[in-house]
Structures are given as C-alpha cells and as structure tokens.
C-alpha cells in the first residue's frame, strides 16, 4: 500500500495464506490490529478466505488409511505430572508406513497439547538407529528440555534425538527432566 502497488487476487490469496500460517490463524501474541488491517486489505484485493480455509482443511486432513495408526497412537498416550505432560509414540513400522506424509505426527503433537490439562506434549518417533522426541508446549519449557538432551528449537516447539533408543527408554529419560522443568516453571509463575 505504501508504494501503491496493485495486488491481484492470486497474490492477495498467497499473502493471506502466509499471514494465517505465520500467526496460527491470527491467534499468536504477535498478531496485532495491523495484522487484521492487512488481512482486510488483502480481502479487498480479492483474497478468498473461504477458499483458503477449504484449502487448509484439505491439506491438513489425514487419509482414511492412517486412521488405524491414529487410533493406536492416541490409545498409547501416557500422562504425567497431574496430566500436564502427554507422551505417545509412533513405532518404526508406523513411521515407515506414513512415508513422506508426516502430517499425522504433527497433528498428534498439537492435539495432545490442546487437551484441557496438558501443558506440553511429546511425540516420539522410532526410526532406524534412533528415536526422535518432538515437543509442543503451552508453556516455555520445550527448548530447555530439548537442549538438555543435545537438541534444540523454540520455547514452545523443540525436539531432540536419542541414539539407539526405544520409546520406553526415551520416556524413562525425558519424563524426569520434563517434570523438573515444569516444576521450575510453575514455581516461577506462581511467585510472579
């Protein structure tokens, strides 16, 4: 707008898509009134938000063939520390079946994180020679936990790798660290 460049509907759609993705559907702390103003400008220039919503739903859908894996993974979920920590796993065979389509893994992390009591979810994927623990959190402890095991990421999204480890051994190692970091977080926020 500053340079008075015209934006066609295709460009407006692409920019709106980027804004929605980057702000988790206009819901992060960084989302401001300027973000909504920009979205309004894009709609005025032809961004079709309903088409965008339908496209997001389509691309974020799992296939019917993945439903049995989803049921198994969710049924294996274990809860710790007054149900604030949720952990599940994908076996190496399940990981291989998913092949290039790892959307089910991503959805599982977010779905467990959104359970009423849960503050952090951990999804372990068993792979050839190692297991990966990927975390999504409502509280800022994921990076600290991942770094403890040589991994990294952000405060609310991080991962780490465990060489020659099964999901059971990962749970045994990671749960005490998760509880320790959760207790520290709770102590800090309780005193604020």
């Amino acid at each position: 707008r500053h340079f008075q460049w015209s934006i066609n509907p295709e460009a407006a759609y692409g920019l709106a898509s980027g804004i929605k993705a980057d702000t988790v559907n206009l819901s992060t702390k960084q989302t401001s009134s300027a973000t909504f103003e920009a979205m309004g400008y894009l709609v005025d220039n032809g961004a079709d938000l309903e088409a965008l919503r339908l496209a997001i739903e389509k691309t974020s859908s799992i296939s019917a063939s993945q439903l049995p894996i989803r049921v198994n993974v969710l049924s294996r979920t274990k809860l710790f520390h007054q149900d604030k920590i949720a952990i599940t796993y994908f076996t190496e065979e399940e990981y291989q079946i998913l092949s290039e389509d790892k959307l089910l893994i991503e959805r599982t992390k977010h779905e467990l994180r959104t359970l009423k009591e849960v503050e952090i979810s951990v999804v372990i994927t068993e792979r050839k020679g190692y297991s990966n623990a990927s975390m999504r959190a409502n509280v800022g402890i994921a990076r600290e936990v991942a770094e403890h095991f040589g991994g990294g990421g952000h405060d609310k999204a991080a991962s780490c790798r465990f060489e020659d480890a099964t999901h059971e051994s990962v749970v045994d190692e990671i749960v005490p660290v998760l509880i320790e970091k959760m207790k520290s977080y709770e102590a800090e926020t309780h005193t604020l």
Side-chain angles (χ1 to χ4, degrees):
R1 286 182 349 192
H2 175 78
F3 293 106
Q4 298 180 344
W5 294 343
S6 64
I7 296 177
N8 65 31
E10 185 179 8
Y13 179 91
L15 290 167
S17 176
I19 290 171
K20 281 180 67 82
D22 199 40
T23 62
V24 191
N25 201 26
L26 303 170
S27 66
T28 61
K29 276 187 178 182
Q30 291 77 16
T31 304
S32 67
S33 60
T35 312
F36 285 94
E37 185 180 334
M39 286 297 280
Y41 176 75
L42 295 171
V43 168
D44 289 345
N45 282 277
D48 184 342
L49 295 184
E50 182 178 21
L52 179 57
R53 178 186 56 79
L54 293 171
I56 290 169
E57 286 175 2
K58 189 73 170 168
T59 58
S60 64
S61 298
I62 65 169
S63 70
S65 65
Q66 294 177 345
L67 189 58
I69 295 173
R70 177 182 161 81
V71 169
N72 287 337
V73 169
L74 290 177
S75 70
R76 294 191 292 246
T77 302
K78 300 278 190 246
L79 299 167
F80 302 89
H81 192 61
Q82 293 105 28
D83 299 341
K84 293 177 184 175
I85 300 166
I87 301 179
T88 193
Y89 66 93
F90 287 79
T91 65
E92 185 179 338
E93 180 184 3
E94 290 166 338
Y95 185 79
Q96 294 303 321
I97 289 170
L98 295 175
S99 185
E100 296 298 313
D101 184 6
K102 304 295 193 275
L103 179 63
L104 180 57
I105 296 169
E106 290 304 314
R107 285 189 63 166
T108 303
K109 291 178 226 177
H110 291 289
E111 287 172 349
L112 293 180
R113 179 190 55 78
T114 61
L115 292 173
K116 193 175 282 188
E117 299 83 0
V118 172
E119 295 292 353
I120 187 166
S121 69
V122 181
V123 174
I124 301 163
T125 51
E126 294 181 338
R127 307 179 193 186
K128 288 193 186 306
Y130 71 96
S131 286
N132 189 68
S134 185
M135 295 166 271
R136 296 296 180 268
N138 298 327
V139 296
I141 66 168
R143 179 185 49 79
E144 290 180 54
V145 175
E147 286 177 352
H148 180 89
F149 296 102
H154 304 285
D155 287 345
K156 295 185 178 180
S159 66
C160 50
R161 179 185 281 207
F162 295 80
E163 300 296 331
D164 298 314
T166 64
H167 67 273
E168 294 101 337
S169 61
V170 173
V171 169
D172 289 345
E173 286 190 58
I174 204 168
V175 167
V177 176
L178 284 162
I179 292 172
E180 173 194 331
K181 299 297 181 188
M182 185 65 74
K183 285 181 177 178
S184 294
Y185 174 83
E186 291 165 348
E188 284 177 27
T189 56
H190 185 64
T191 58
L192 295 179

